[in-house]
């Protein structure tokens, strides 16, 4: 798997995990509805900073993992692939809708930013995601780990801005569209699940057949 191919697969996975309605999306829409677009974008900014921190965490974890013996590193790759497959399976079986988004009290932009950051940082699934996914796409043969992490970090925060920022800009219309089309949000989740299962199978095969690590 070449570097450009790995980045394309990561981009698809990234889109799949961010576009699925979840805690971060709910937080952005709730703030945009109650505090306007500025509050919505402040929440997005906090979440983007949280995404950058997750990228740093993933890069450090990969730096440690690549020092492991080849067989142990490959075992970690397979564990990560299994977790990715589990995410995909749960998304395939889920019926995610957005009618559970609650209302929040009006708050300052700084509070929305700070709470968006905390919400993102305290999400344990995000750390499990980077632990499962990053070793699949950050490889010593692609160059310095820091440069690969920088590229993936930029991709992550850009995707967060595009998706969550679009919802903040649309404000009420974004929420109404998601609530008014529950079948669409359900199929978005299931489509993302299929992407995760396909990527898990591909990375598991690559982990078994390729020699990595020292």
């Amino acid at each position: 798997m070449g570097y450009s191919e790995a980045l394309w697969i990561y981009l698809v996975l990234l889109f799949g995990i961010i576009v699925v309605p979840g805690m971060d999306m709910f937080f952005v829409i709730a703030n945009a509805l109650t505090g306007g677009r500025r509050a919505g974008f402040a929440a997005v900014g906090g979440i983007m900073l949280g995404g950058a921190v997750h990228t740093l965490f993933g890069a450090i974890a990969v730096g440690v993992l690549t020092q492991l013996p080849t067989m142990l590193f490959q075992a970690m790759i397979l564990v990560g692939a299994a977790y990715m497959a589990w995410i995909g399976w749960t998304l395939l079986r889920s019926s995610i809708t957005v009618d559970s988004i609650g209302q929040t009290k009006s708050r300052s932009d700084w509070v929305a930013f700070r709470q968006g950051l905390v919400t993102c940082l305290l999400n344990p699934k995000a750390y499990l995601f980077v632990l499962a996914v990053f070793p699949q796409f950050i490889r010593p043969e692609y160059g310095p780990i820091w440069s690969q992490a920088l590229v993936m970090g930029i991709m992550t925060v850009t995707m967060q801005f595009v998706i969550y920022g679009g919802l903040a800009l649309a404000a009420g219309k974004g929420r109404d569209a998601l609530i008014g089309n529950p079948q669409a949000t359900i199929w978005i989740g299931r489509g993302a699940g299929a992407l995760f299962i396909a990527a898990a199978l591909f990375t598991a095969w690559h982990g078994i057949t390729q020699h990595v690590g020292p």
Side-chain angles (χ1 to χ4, degrees):
M1 179 169 60
Y3 184 50
S4 59
E5 182 183 8
L7 287 180
W8 276 110
I9 295 175
Y10 176 72
L11 183 66
V12 171
L13 282 181
L14 189 63
F15 174 79
I17 198 66
I18 293 177
V19 78
V20 173
M23 183 169 58
D24 289 344
M25 181 181 288
F26 295 169
F27 185 77
V28 169
I29 295 177
N31 275 275
L33 286 174
T34 57
R37 292 177 179 174
R38 282 179 54 121
F41 276 107
V44 172
I47 291 170
M48 290 170 63
L49 181 56
V53 173
H54 290 150
T55 300
L56 177 61
F57 171 80
I60 293 173
V62 169
V64 173
L65 292 175
T66 52
Q67 302 306 310
L68 298 175
T70 299
M71 290 187 63
L72 186 55
F73 184 79
Q74 288 177 329
M76 294 296 296
I77 293 288
L78 293 178
V79 169
Y83 179 70
M84 291 167 62
W86 180 81
I87 293 177
W89 177 245
T90 56
L91 288 174
L92 279 175
R93 298 182 61 193
S94 66
S95 297
I96 302 172
T97 60
V98 193
D99 55 3
S100 59
I101 297 178
Q103 298 293 319
T104 60
K105 296 180 180 179
S106 180
R107 64 190 78 192
S108 70
D109 295 342
W110 165 245
V111 172
F113 175 88
R114 188 180 68 227
Q115 290 187 348
L117 171 61
V118 172
T119 297
C120 188
L121 290 179
L122 293 182
N123 186 356
K125 292 183 179 180
Y127 295 99
L128 292 174
F129 174 78
V130 297
L131 283 175
V133 170
F134 272 43
Q136 328 291 334
F137 301 106
I138 297 182
R139 301 295 184 89
E141 60 265 31
Y142 297 156
I145 289 179
W146 70 265
S147 64
Q148 297 179 61
L150 179 62
V151 172
M152 292 175 69
I154 292 173
M155 292 171 65
T156 299
V157 298
T158 300
M159 187 68 73
Q160 288 175 324
F161 179 77
V162 169
I163 294 176
Y164 296 148
L167 289 174
L169 187 64
K173 291 183 179 179
R175 180 179 186 272
D176 292 342
L178 290 171
I179 292 177
N181 296 277
Q183 287 298 318
T185 58
I186 288 172
W187 283 108
I188 286 174
R190 291 176 179 173
L195 290 175
F196 268 85
I197 290 176
L201 293 173
F202 181 82
T203 53
W205 173 82
H206 187 263
I208 291 172
T209 58
Q210 299 297 317
H211 292 286
V212 292

Short mmCIF file of all heavy atoms in Angstrom, two decimals, residues 13-70:
data_model
loop_
_atom_site.label_atom_id
_atom_site.label_comp_id
_atom_site.label_asym_id
_atom_site.label_seq_id
_atom_site.Cartn_x
_atom_site.Cartn_y
_atom_site.Cartn_z
N LEU A 13 -12.27 6.87 5.61
CA LEU A 13 -12.63 6.49 6.98
C LEU A 13 -12.95 7.70 7.83
O LEU A 13 -13.89 7.70 8.63
CB LEU A 13 -11.48 5.70 7.63
CG LEU A 13 -11.32 4.24 7.25
CD1 LEU A 13 -10.15 3.64 8.00
CD2 LEU A 13 -12.59 3.46 7.54
N LEU A 14 -12.14 8.74 7.67
CA LEU A 14 -12.34 9.97 8.44
C LEU A 14 -13.70 10.58 8.15
O LEU A 14 -14.45 10.96 9.06
CB LEU A 14 -11.22 10.95 8.09
CG LEU A 14 -11.10 12.21 8.92
CD1 LEU A 14 -10.78 11.86 10.37
CD2 LEU A 14 -10.00 13.10 8.34
N PHE A 15 -14.04 10.65 6.87
CA PHE A 15 -15.36 11.16 6.49
C PHE A 15 -16.46 10.30 7.09
O PHE A 15 -17.44 10.81 7.64
CB PHE A 15 -15.49 11.18 4.97
CG PHE A 15 -16.88 11.55 4.49
CD1 PHE A 15 -17.27 12.87 4.47
CD2 PHE A 15 -17.78 10.58 4.08
CE1 PHE A 15 -18.56 13.22 4.05
CE2 PHE A 15 -19.05 10.91 3.66
CZ PHE A 15 -19.44 12.24 3.64
N GLY A 16 -16.28 8.98 7.04
CA GLY A 16 -17.29 8.07 7.56
C GLY A 16 -17.53 8.24 9.04
O GLY A 16 -18.67 8.24 9.50
N ILE A 17 -16.45 8.42 9.84
CA ILE A 17 -16.63 8.51 11.28
C ILE A 17 -17.15 9.88 11.71
O ILE A 17 -17.88 10.01 12.68
CB ILE A 17 -15.31 8.19 12.02
CG1 ILE A 17 -15.58 7.86 13.49
CG2 ILE A 17 -14.30 9.31 11.90
CD1 ILE A 17 -16.36 6.59 13.73
N ILE A 18 -16.80 10.95 10.96
CA ILE A 18 -17.24 12.30 11.35
C ILE A 18 -18.67 12.57 10.91
O ILE A 18 -19.43 13.25 11.61
CB ILE A 18 -16.27 13.36 10.78
CG1 ILE A 18 -14.90 13.23 11.45
CG2 ILE A 18 -16.83 14.77 10.98
CD1 ILE A 18 -13.85 14.19 10.92
N VAL A 19 -19.06 12.04 9.74
CA VAL A 19 -20.39 12.35 9.22
C VAL A 19 -21.49 11.61 9.97
O VAL A 19 -22.67 12.00 9.92
CB VAL A 19 -20.46 12.02 7.71
CG1 VAL A 19 -20.61 10.53 7.47
CG2 VAL A 19 -21.58 12.82 7.04
N VAL A 20 -21.14 10.54 10.70
CA VAL A 20 -22.15 9.81 11.47
C VAL A 20 -22.58 10.67 12.67
O VAL A 20 -21.73 11.14 13.43
CB VAL A 20 -21.60 8.47 11.98
CG1 VAL A 20 -22.58 7.80 12.93
CG2 VAL A 20 -21.30 7.55 10.81
N PRO A 21 -23.88 10.91 12.84
CA PRO A 21 -24.33 11.71 13.98
C PRO A 21 -23.84 11.14 15.30
O PRO A 21 -23.98 9.96 15.57
CB PRO A 21 -25.86 11.63 13.87
CG PRO A 21 -26.13 11.40 12.42
CD PRO A 21 -24.99 10.52 11.96
N GLY A 22 -23.22 12.00 16.10
CA GLY A 22 -22.69 11.57 17.39
C GLY A 22 -22.58 12.74 18.33
O GLY A 22 -23.15 13.83 18.09
N MET A 23 -21.83 12.56 19.42
CA MET A 23 -21.75 13.55 20.48
C MET A 23 -21.24 14.91 19.98
O MET A 23 -21.80 15.96 20.30
CB MET A 23 -20.84 13.03 21.59
CG MET A 23 -20.72 13.93 22.80
SD MET A 23 -19.90 13.10 24.18
CE MET A 23 -18.33 12.65 23.43
N ASP A 24 -20.17 14.91 19.17
CA ASP A 24 -19.62 16.17 18.68
C ASP A 24 -20.62 16.89 17.78
O ASP A 24 -20.81 18.11 17.89
CB ASP A 24 -18.33 15.92 17.91
CG ASP A 24 -17.18 15.50 18.82
OD1 ASP A 24 -17.30 15.71 20.05
OD2 ASP A 24 -16.18 14.96 18.31
N MET A 25 -21.27 16.13 16.88
CA MET A 25 -22.24 16.74 15.99
C MET A 25 -23.42 17.32 16.77
O MET A 25 -23.87 18.44 16.51
CB MET A 25 -22.74 15.71 14.97
CG MET A 25 -23.74 16.28 13.97
SD MET A 25 -24.35 15.06 12.78
CE MET A 25 -22.89 14.82 11.76
N PHE A 26 -23.90 16.57 17.76
CA PHE A 26 -25.01 17.05 18.57
C PHE A 26 -24.64 18.35 19.28
O PHE A 26 -25.43 19.29 19.36
CB PHE A 26 -25.41 16.01 19.61
CG PHE A 26 -25.97 14.74 19.01
CD1 PHE A 26 -26.17 13.63 19.81
CD2 PHE A 26 -26.29 14.65 17.68
CE1 PHE A 26 -26.69 12.46 19.29
CE2 PHE A 26 -26.80 13.49 17.13
CZ PHE A 26 -27.00 12.39 17.94
N PHE A 27 -23.41 18.41 19.79
CA PHE A 27 -22.97 19.59 20.53
C PHE A 27 -22.91 20.82 19.61
O PHE A 27 -23.33 21.91 20.00
CB PHE A 27 -21.59 19.32 21.15
CG PHE A 27 -21.10 20.42 22.02
CD1 PHE A 27 -21.60 20.59 23.31
CD2 PHE A 27 -20.15 21.32 21.57
CE1 PHE A 27 -21.16 21.62 24.12
CE2 PHE A 27 -19.69 22.35 22.37
CZ PHE A 27 -20.20 22.50 23.65
N VAL A 28 -22.40 20.65 18.41
CA VAL A 28 -22.31 21.77 17.47
C VAL A 28 -23.69 22.28 17.10
O VAL A 28 -23.96 23.49 17.13
CB VAL A 28 -21.54 21.34 16.20
CG1 VAL A 28 -21.68 22.40 15.10
CG2 VAL A 28 -20.07 21.11 16.52
N ILE A 29 -24.60 21.37 16.77
CA ILE A 29 -25.94 21.79 16.36
C ILE A 29 -26.68 22.47 17.51
O ILE A 29 -27.33 23.51 17.32
CB ILE A 29 -26.75 20.58 15.85
CG1 ILE A 29 -26.11 20.02 14.57
CG2 ILE A 29 -28.19 20.98 15.56
CD1 ILE A 29 -26.80 18.78 14.03
N ALA A 30 -26.56 21.92 18.71
CA ALA A 30 -27.23 22.52 19.86
C ALA A 30 -26.74 23.93 20.11
O ALA A 30 -27.52 24.85 20.41
CB ALA A 30 -27.02 21.64 21.10
N ASN A 31 -25.44 24.17 20.02
CA ASN A 31 -24.89 25.51 20.23
C ASN A 31 -25.28 26.46 19.12
O ASN A 31 -25.57 27.63 19.37
CB ASN A 31 -23.36 25.43 20.35
CG ASN A 31 -22.90 25.10 21.75
OD1 ASN A 31 -22.76 25.98 22.59
ND2 ASN A 31 -22.69 23.83 22.02
N ALA A 32 -25.30 25.96 17.87
CA ALA A 32 -25.68 26.81 16.75
C ALA A 32 -27.14 27.23 16.85
O ALA A 32 -27.51 28.35 16.52
CB ALA A 32 -25.43 26.09 15.43
N LEU A 33 -27.98 26.31 17.35
CA LEU A 33 -29.41 26.62 17.48
C LEU A 33 -29.68 27.64 18.57
O LEU A 33 -30.53 28.52 18.43
CB LEU A 33 -30.19 25.33 17.77
CG LEU A 33 -30.38 24.36 16.61
CD1 LEU A 33 -31.03 23.08 17.11
CD2 LEU A 33 -31.22 24.99 15.51
N THR A 34 -28.96 27.53 19.68
CA THR A 34 -29.25 28.38 20.82
C THR A 34 -28.41 29.65 20.87
O THR A 34 -28.86 30.66 21.38
CB THR A 34 -29.03 27.60 22.14
OG1 THR A 34 -27.68 27.11 22.16
CG2 THR A 34 -29.99 26.43 22.24
N GLY A 35 -27.21 29.59 20.31
CA GLY A 35 -26.32 30.75 20.38
C GLY A 35 -26.01 31.37 19.04
O GLY A 35 -25.24 32.33 18.98
N GLY A 36 -26.55 30.82 17.98
CA GLY A 36 -26.29 31.35 16.65
C GLY A 36 -25.05 30.74 16.02
O GLY A 36 -24.40 29.86 16.58
N ARG A 37 -24.74 31.22 14.83
CA ARG A 37 -23.62 30.65 14.07
C ARG A 37 -22.29 30.83 14.78
O ARG A 37 -21.43 29.95 14.74
CB ARG A 37 -23.56 31.29 12.68
CG ARG A 37 -24.74 30.90 11.80
CD ARG A 37 -24.68 31.61 10.47
NE ARG A 37 -25.80 31.22 9.62
CZ ARG A 37 -26.06 31.78 8.43
NH1 ARG A 37 -25.28 32.75 7.99
NH2 ARG A 37 -27.10 31.37 7.72
N ARG A 38 -22.10 31.99 15.45
CA ARG A 38 -20.82 32.22 16.14
C ARG A 38 -20.59 31.17 17.22
O ARG A 38 -19.49 30.63 17.34
CB ARG A 38 -20.81 33.62 16.76
CG ARG A 38 -20.55 34.74 15.77
CD ARG A 38 -20.57 36.07 16.48
NE ARG A 38 -19.63 36.05 17.61
CZ ARG A 38 -18.61 36.89 17.74
NH1 ARG A 38 -18.38 37.79 16.81
NH2 ARG A 38 -17.82 36.82 18.78
N ALA A 39 -21.63 30.88 17.98
CA ALA A 39 -21.50 29.86 19.02
C ALA A 39 -21.25 28.49 18.40
O ALA A 39 -20.47 27.69 18.92
CB ALA A 39 -22.75 29.83 19.90
N GLY A 40 -21.92 28.23 17.28
CA GLY A 40 -21.71 26.96 16.59
C GLY A 40 -20.28 26.81 16.11
O GLY A 40 -19.65 25.77 16.30
N PHE A 41 -19.74 27.88 15.52
CA PHE A 41 -18.36 27.81 15.03
C PHE A 41 -17.36 27.78 16.18
O PHE A 41 -16.27 27.19 16.05
CB PHE A 41 -18.06 28.98 14.10
CG PHE A 41 -18.50 28.74 12.68
CD1 PHE A 41 -19.59 29.39 12.16
CD2 PHE A 41 -17.81 27.84 11.88
CE1 PHE A 41 -20.00 29.17 10.85
CE2 PHE A 41 -18.21 27.60 10.57
CZ PHE A 41 -19.30 28.27 10.06
N ALA A 42 -17.70 28.42 17.32
CA ALA A 42 -16.83 28.33 18.49
C ALA A 42 -16.75 26.89 18.98
O ALA A 42 -15.67 26.40 19.34
CB ALA A 42 -17.36 29.25 19.61
N ALA A 43 -17.89 26.21 18.99
CA ALA A 43 -17.90 24.80 19.37
C ALA A 43 -17.08 23.97 18.39
O ALA A 43 -16.33 23.07 18.79
CB ALA A 43 -19.35 24.28 19.43
N VAL A 44 -17.19 24.28 17.09
CA VAL A 44 -16.41 23.57 16.08
C VAL A 44 -14.91 23.77 16.32
O VAL A 44 -14.11 22.84 16.22
CB VAL A 44 -16.79 24.05 14.66
CG1 VAL A 44 -15.84 23.46 13.62
CG2 VAL A 44 -18.22 23.66 14.34
N GLY A 45 -14.53 25.02 16.67
CA GLY A 45 -13.12 25.31 16.93
C GLY A 45 -12.58 24.48 18.08
O GLY A 45 -11.45 23.96 18.01
N GLY A 46 -13.37 24.33 19.14
CA GLY A 46 -12.94 23.50 20.27
C GLY A 46 -12.78 22.05 19.88
O GLY A 46 -11.82 21.38 20.29
N ILE A 47 -13.72 21.56 19.08
CA ILE A 47 -13.65 20.17 18.64
C ILE A 47 -12.45 19.95 17.72
O ILE A 47 -11.78 18.91 17.78
CB ILE A 47 -14.97 19.78 17.93
CG1 ILE A 47 -16.11 19.73 18.96
CG2 ILE A 47 -14.85 18.44 17.21
CD1 ILE A 47 -17.49 19.60 18.35
N MET A 48 -12.16 20.93 16.87
CA MET A 48 -10.99 20.82 15.99
C MET A 48 -9.70 20.76 16.79
O MET A 48 -8.79 19.98 16.47
CB MET A 48 -10.96 21.99 15.01
CG MET A 48 -12.05 21.95 13.95
SD MET A 48 -12.16 23.49 12.99
CE MET A 48 -10.55 23.54 12.19
N LEU A 49 -9.59 21.57 17.85
CA LEU A 49 -8.40 21.51 18.70
C LEU A 49 -8.31 20.14 19.37
O LEU A 49 -7.21 19.56 19.48
CB LEU A 49 -8.45 22.62 19.75
CG LEU A 49 -7.25 22.69 20.71
CD1 LEU A 49 -5.95 22.82 19.94
CD2 LEU A 49 -7.42 23.87 21.68
N GLY A 50 -9.45 19.61 19.79
CA GLY A 50 -9.46 18.26 20.35
C GLY A 50 -9.01 17.23 19.34
O GLY A 50 -8.27 16.30 19.67
N GLY A 51 -9.41 17.40 18.08
CA GLY A 51 -8.98 16.49 17.02
C GLY A 51 -7.47 16.54 16.81
O GLY A 51 -6.83 15.52 16.56
N ALA A 52 -6.90 17.76 16.93
CA ALA A 52 -5.45 17.89 16.80
C ALA A 52 -4.73 17.16 17.94
O ALA A 52 -3.69 16.53 17.72
CB ALA A 52 -5.06 19.37 16.79
N VAL A 53 -5.29 17.25 19.15
CA VAL A 53 -4.70 16.55 20.29
C VAL A 53 -4.77 15.04 20.09
O VAL A 53 -3.82 14.30 20.38
CB VAL A 53 -5.40 16.95 21.60
CG1 VAL A 53 -4.92 16.09 22.78
CG2 VAL A 53 -5.16 18.42 21.90
N HIS A 54 -5.89 14.55 19.58
CA HIS A 54 -6.02 13.12 19.29
C HIS A 54 -4.97 12.67 18.27
O HIS A 54 -4.41 11.57 18.38
CB HIS A 54 -7.42 12.81 18.75
CG HIS A 54 -8.48 12.94 19.78
ND1 HIS A 54 -9.78 13.31 19.47
CD2 HIS A 54 -8.46 12.78 21.12
CE1 HIS A 54 -10.51 13.36 20.57
NE2 HIS A 54 -9.72 13.04 21.58
N THR A 55 -4.71 13.53 17.27
CA THR A 55 -3.68 13.20 16.27
C THR A 55 -2.31 13.09 16.92
O THR A 55 -1.54 12.16 16.62
CB THR A 55 -3.65 14.27 15.16
OG1 THR A 55 -4.93 14.33 14.52
CG2 THR A 55 -2.59 13.94 14.12
N LEU A 56 -1.99 14.03 17.81
CA LEU A 56 -0.71 13.98 18.53
C LEU A 56 -0.61 12.71 19.35
O LEU A 56 0.42 12.03 19.36
CB LEU A 56 -0.58 15.21 19.43
CG LEU A 56 0.69 15.28 20.30
CD1 LEU A 56 1.94 15.30 19.43
CD2 LEU A 56 0.63 16.51 21.21
N PHE A 57 -1.69 12.37 20.03
CA PHE A 57 -1.72 11.13 20.83
C PHE A 57 -1.49 9.91 19.94
O PHE A 57 -0.70 9.02 20.28
CB PHE A 57 -3.08 11.02 21.53
CG PHE A 57 -3.31 9.69 22.20
CD1 PHE A 57 -2.74 9.41 23.44
CD2 PHE A 57 -4.10 8.73 21.60
CE1 PHE A 57 -2.95 8.19 24.06
CE2 PHE A 57 -4.33 7.50 22.22
CZ PHE A 57 -3.74 7.24 23.45
N GLY A 58 -2.14 9.89 18.77
CA GLY A 58 -1.99 8.76 17.86
C GLY A 58 -0.58 8.65 17.34
O GLY A 58 -0.03 7.55 17.20
N ALA A 59 0.06 9.80 17.02
CA ALA A 59 1.43 9.78 16.51
C ALA A 59 2.40 9.26 17.56
O ALA A 59 3.32 8.49 17.25
CB ALA A 59 1.83 11.19 16.07
N ILE A 60 2.23 9.69 18.80
CA ILE A 60 3.09 9.21 19.88
C ILE A 60 2.91 7.71 20.07
O ILE A 60 3.88 6.96 20.23
CB ILE A 60 2.79 9.97 21.19
CG1 ILE A 60 3.19 11.44 21.05
CG2 ILE A 60 3.52 9.32 22.36
CD1 ILE A 60 2.78 12.31 22.22
N ALA A 61 1.65 7.26 20.01
CA ALA A 61 1.38 5.83 20.17
C ALA A 61 2.03 5.02 19.06
O ALA A 61 2.63 3.97 19.31
CB ALA A 61 -0.13 5.58 20.19
N VAL A 62 1.95 5.52 17.83
CA VAL A 62 2.56 4.81 16.71
C VAL A 62 4.08 4.77 16.87
O VAL A 62 4.73 3.76 16.59
CB VAL A 62 2.18 5.47 15.36
CG1 VAL A 62 3.01 4.91 14.23
CG2 VAL A 62 0.70 5.24 15.08
N GLY A 63 4.67 5.89 17.34
CA GLY A 63 6.10 5.92 17.55
C GLY A 63 6.56 4.86 18.53
O GLY A 63 7.63 4.27 18.37
N VAL A 64 5.75 4.60 19.54
CA VAL A 64 6.07 3.55 20.51
C VAL A 64 5.87 2.17 19.90
O VAL A 64 6.70 1.28 20.04
CB VAL A 64 5.20 3.71 21.78
CG1 VAL A 64 5.40 2.52 22.72
CG2 VAL A 64 5.54 5.01 22.49
N LEU A 65 4.75 2.00 19.19
CA LEU A 65 4.42 0.68 18.64
C LEU A 65 5.42 0.22 17.59
O LEU A 65 5.71 -0.98 17.49
CB LEU A 65 3.01 0.71 18.03
CG LEU A 65 1.84 0.87 19.02
CD1 LEU A 65 0.53 1.00 18.26
CD2 LEU A 65 1.79 -0.30 19.98
N THR A 66 5.96 1.16 16.80
CA THR A 66 6.88 0.76 15.75
C THR A 66 8.21 0.25 16.29
O THR A 66 9.01 -0.32 15.53
CB THR A 66 7.15 1.92 14.77
OG1 THR A 66 7.56 3.08 15.51
CG2 THR A 66 5.92 2.24 13.95
N GLN A 67 8.47 0.46 17.57
CA GLN A 67 9.69 -0.06 18.18
C GLN A 67 9.52 -1.50 18.66
O GLN A 67 10.48 -2.13 19.12
CB GLN A 67 10.11 0.83 19.36
CG GLN A 67 10.34 2.29 18.98
CD GLN A 67 11.33 2.45 17.84
OE1 GLN A 67 12.42 1.88 17.90
NE2 GLN A 67 10.96 3.22 16.83
N LEU A 68 8.30 -2.01 18.56
CA LEU A 68 8.05 -3.38 19.00
C LEU A 68 8.55 -4.37 17.95
O LEU A 68 8.68 -4.03 16.78
CB LEU A 68 6.54 -3.59 19.21
CG LEU A 68 5.87 -2.72 20.28
CD1 LEU A 68 4.37 -2.97 20.27
CD2 LEU A 68 6.44 -3.01 21.66
N PRO A 69 8.83 -5.61 18.37
CA PRO A 69 9.18 -6.64 17.39
C PRO A 69 8.10 -6.80 16.33
O PRO A 69 6.92 -6.53 16.59
CB PRO A 69 9.31 -7.91 18.24
CG PRO A 69 9.61 -7.40 19.61
CD PRO A 69 8.87 -6.09 19.74
N THR A 70 8.51 -7.23 15.14
CA THR A 70 7.59 -7.30 14.00
C THR A 70 6.31 -8.08 14.31
O THR A 70 5.20 -7.61 14.01
CB THR A 70 8.30 -7.94 12.80
OG1 THR A 70 9.41 -7.14 12.44
CG2 THR A 70 7.34 -8.05 11.61
#
